[in-house]
Amino acid sequence: MRPLTEEETSTFFEKLTKYIGDSISLLLDRQDGAYCFRLHKERVYYVSEELMKKAGNIGRPNLLSFGTCFGKFTKTRKFRLQVTALDYLAPYAKYKVWLKPAAEQQFLYGHNVLKSGLGRITEGTQQYQGVVVYSMSDVPLGFGVAAKSTEACRHADPMMPVVFHQADIGEYIRHEDTLT
């Protein structure tokens, strides 16, 4: 467990900024104490400073996990958000997409969102902007990247993808047998 390097911090914060904008400071300075991001085995964890100090007493080979995993760095040093960060990022999301009930299941199976399944989209969403995907009852379902801007979605064909799938809450079930 160690602090992120300058390069890792830059890459990580760029990814978070795509989804929550400048609200990163709200994640770090919370009313219930100070929080920080730490790297362990190529995964970035969001952890309270109190828990981080306690985890420091455990040897690196014996430490499996601590805090909440926000994502991991790939071998090419790109950062990939994981669905475990959804509960922390959803309240601060700048751009949101709501799905019709018929499209929720398709998204939870790992498919892109088509125009026909789009319920609502935040005004001003740009193409390739990170979005948090919600059900019509405001339950966060996962992350995506806007394939089209808000304006382009209005005139798109019903079978065109409007959100590219990144991560969703259905991953737990789909990958259950590979977690052993």
Side-chain angles (χ1 to χ4, degrees):
M1 150 180 83
R2 65 169 174 80
L4 281 73
T5 64
E6 288 292 324
E7 180 184 331
E8 292 167 342
T9 302
S10 172
T11 304
F12 175 59
F13 281 2
E14 273 181 33
K15 182 64 92 166
L16 283 184
T17 302
K18 280 184 70 175
Y19 290 93
I20 63 173
D22 296 330
S23 300
I24 297 172
S25 61
L26 297 174
L27 289 174
L28 298 174
D29 298 322
R30 294 178 22 176
Q31 291 184 2
D32 59 340
Y35 280 71
C36 58
F37 294 105
R38 290 292 184 255
L39 186 77
H40 182 66
K41 297 183 180 177
E42 299 303 316
R43 285 174 168 56
V44 176
Y45 291 92
Y46 178 63
V47 60
S48 70
E49 289 187 0
E50 180 181 328
L51 181 60
M52 182 190 62
K53 290 176 185 174
K54 291 178 183 177
N57 295 327
I58 300 171
R60 284 187 185 187
N62 298 331
L63 185 64
L64 295 177
S65 175
F66 62 102
T68 302
C69 182
F70 260 48
K72 68 178 188 172
F73 283 98
T74 63
K75 291 181 181 179
T76 59
R77 304 310 296 163
K78 293 181 182 174
F79 186 76
R80 180 157 305 198
L81 269 177
Q82 291 184 341
V83 71
T84 50
L86 182 62
D87 290 335
Y88 295 96
L89 300 184
Y92 305 115
K94 283 177 37 178
Y95 302 104
K96 302 175 183 180
V97 170
W98 288 266
L99 301 183
K100 293 178 181 175
E104 287 178 25
Q105 186 175 10
Q106 290 301 312
F107 181 76
L108 294 177
Y109 283 157
H111 299 284
N112 296 332
V113 177
L114 302 178
K115 165 71 164 79
S116 61
L118 184 66
R120 293 188 326 229
I121 186 169
T122 306
E123 281 296 320
T125 303
Q126 300 296 317
Q127 187 176 20
Y128 305 123
Q129 181 66 50
V131 295
V132 175
V133 179
Y134 286 86
S135 68
M136 288 304 276
S137 56
D138 284 333
V139 175
L141 300 175
F143 301 114
V145 174
K148 300 197 177 297
S149 66
T150 303
E151 190 61 36
C153 286
R154 291 188 180 118
H155 307 293
D157 182 73
M159 298 310 288
M160 292 295 297
V162 293
V163 175
F164 297 126
H165 178 272
Q166 296 291 308
D168 65 82
I169 57 176
E171 289 179 14
Y172 292 120
I173 297 171
R174 287 196 309 272
H175 299 295
E176 182 179 4
D177 57 342
T178 61
L179 296 176
T180 57

